[in-house]
Amino acid sequence: MKRLQLPSGAGIPVLGQGTWNMGEDPAARQAEVAALRLGMELGMTLIDTAEMYGEGGAEEVVGEAIAGRRDEVFLVSKVYPHHADRRGVQEACERSLRRLGTERIDLYLLHWRGNVPLAETLDAFARLREQGKVGDFGVSNFDIDDMQEAAALPGGELIATDQVLYNLVQRGVEWELLPWCRERHIPLMAYSPLESNPLEQAGLLGKPELAAVARRHGATPAQVALAWLLRQDGVVVIPKAVRPQHVRENRAALELAQALQPEDLAGLDAGFPAPRRRRPLAMR
Ligand SMILES: NC(=O)c1ccc[n+]([C@@H]2O[C@H](COP(=O)([O-])OP(=O)(O)OC[C@H]3O[C@@H](n4cnc5c(N)ncnc54)[C@H](OP(=O)(O)O)[C@@H]3O)[C@@H](O)[C@H]2O)c1
């Protein structure tokens, strides 16, 4: 699996697995654990989770999936903004470590900006790093002005990523945030890369422009959506999938990314235009 380099020098795989909505239903747990293990076997060893998902349930699912294989995995988790003060970060991280069954989270993120001063959260993150409880730290759902403010604070130069909503129908980050991150060699993590809502038939995956490219390559629309993101410089992609067929398809999007032709990319740009002006960061 190709890796990007974080500002600390650590490598981060470009394609991983999300876990939002996992750990909520005990009846689904076995399938969720199996999906994450399958993904790991296929090389998708980055696993993204958060204390919020299933109120700790998703971290427990991840803990079960990675048991005995911790060294293969690049583990990402997130702290709630209302736990982002000095003591709250420490305690939240220790709870996450227990649920994950590990002594270290590779990349620990502030889930979104709340009321705690950023300087305090960064200081708490730096302490966790010194203690070896986290490898790197970063943020999520930060727009360009939040990033600029955070980067200027003590420890801000160590911010390793911004995890944001980015996919073919949500391209706003290309206007300013993504170029800003690229200049500083800060990988951007693209969440909800499939913009897939099971209740919404006409979501991204139902769009004809995607189907046209998929047909040409004998691929699925989801694979095209992921392949397009995987071609963007400095971007890490974290689709969530429980169905084994989805997990396999998502892994194969890596090869499709290499196979996309200029006419495919032009078709996608026509169907899903790049931003023409600044817009506030979209989020879930
Ligand atoms: N930082 C943040 O604020 C934030 C916000 C949202 C998400 N995230 C992270 O990003 C991850 C991904 O985002 P997401 O879960 O919102 O959405 P997503 O990955 O874009 O979409 C997930 C949905 O797509 C389906 N799917 C997966 N692979 C597919 C394929 N090949 N073909 C068709 N459908 C497919 C899944 O179905 P099955 O599960 O049934 O296979 C699931 O219903 C999350 O799980 C989470 O880790 C972070």
Side-chain angles (χ1 to χ4, degrees):
M1 175 70 58
K2 186 180 151 199
R3 286 176 178 248
L4 298 176
Q5 210 179 49
L6 299 175
S8 67
I12 181 170
V14 293
L15 176 63
Q17 308 186 73
T19 64
W20 193 18
N21 295 321
M22 290 191 187
E24 291 177 0
D25 174 7
R29 185 175 175 121
Q30 217 185 335
E32 292 164 356
V33 169
L36 293 174
R37 287 196 181 142
L38 173 61
M40 285 160 60
E41 275 153 31
L42 297 173
M44 293 188 290
T45 53
L46 183 163
I47 300 181
D48 178 81
T49 190
E51 63 168 335
M52 183 183 97
Y53 303 161
E55 289 301 329
E59 288 182 328
E60 288 174 1
V61 168
V62 174
E64 189 175 334
I66 67 171
R69 310 176 60 171
R70 171 67 187 92
D71 292 348
E72 293 168 43
V73 180
F74 187 96
L75 211 45
V76 185
S77 194
K78 314 184 196 81
V79 59
Y80 268 127
H82 60 267
H83 291 157
D85 59 303
R86 205 166 274 110
R87 183 159 156 209
V89 166
Q90 183 77 30
E91 292 177 355
C93 182
E94 285 168 6
R95 282 193 300 272
S96 288
L97 289 169
R98 273 198 296 280
R99 288 188 290 257
L100 290 161
T102 182
E103 292 179 353
R104 190 173 54 95
I105 292 168
D106 295 292
L107 180 55
Y108 196 47
L109 311 181
L110 173 60
H111 209 146
W112 64 92
R113 190 166 179 180
N115 297 326
V116 177
L118 282 178
E120 180 169 344
T121 306
L122 287 175
D123 187 52
F125 280 167
R127 208 168 57 190
L128 287 175
R129 197 165 184 254
E130 279 161 26
Q131 295 165 353
K133 290 182 174 156
V134 313
D136 276 282
F137 57 80
V139 295
S140 176
N141 296 302
F142 269 38
D143 208 342
I144 180 83
D145 28 3
D146 296 318
M147 282 304 272
Q148 285 167 333
E149 185 182 332
L153 293 168
E157 72 286 353
L158 288 173
I159 291 175
T161 193
D162 188 10
Q163 185 179 117
V164 293
L165 178 60
Y166 182 30
N167 58 46
L168 274 165
V169 287
Q170 296 286 358
R171 296 183 60 176
V173 300
E174 291 173 28
W175 185 255
E176 213 171 3
L177 182 61
L178 181 54
W180 188 91
C181 287
R182 280 182 182 143
E183 263 174 44
R184 288 157 185 80
H185 307 287
I186 298 173
L188 194 85
M189 294 183 77
Y191 76 64
S192 302
L194 301 170
E195 187 81 23
S196 169
N197 177 345
L199 303 173
E200 224 184 286
Q201 293 284 321
L204 169 61
L205 301 187
K207 300 277 193 225
E209 296 88 350
L210 217 51
V213 179
R215 258 194 314 275
R216 282 203 285 277
H217 291 272
T220 67
Q223 288 179 307
V224 176
L226 296 177
W228 177 84
L229 273 172
L230 287 163
R231 290 181 63 94
Q232 312 302 320
D233 273 349
V235 172
V236 170
V237 187
I238 48 167
K240 172 258 177 187
V242 173
R243 277 172 263 192
Q245 178 61 21
H246 286 166
V247 176
R248 289 199 173 85
E249 278 181 20
N250 296 350
R251 167 60 183 79
L254 269 179
E255 281 76 39
L256 180 63
Q258 302 304 313
L260 290 182
Q261 299 298 310
E263 64 165 319
D264 299 323
L265 301 173
L268 293 174
D269 273 333
F272 310 100
R276 292 191 194 89
R277 62 185 170 83
R278 187 181 199 283
R279 282 171 185 277
L281 182 66
M283 36 184 114
R284 274 280 158 89

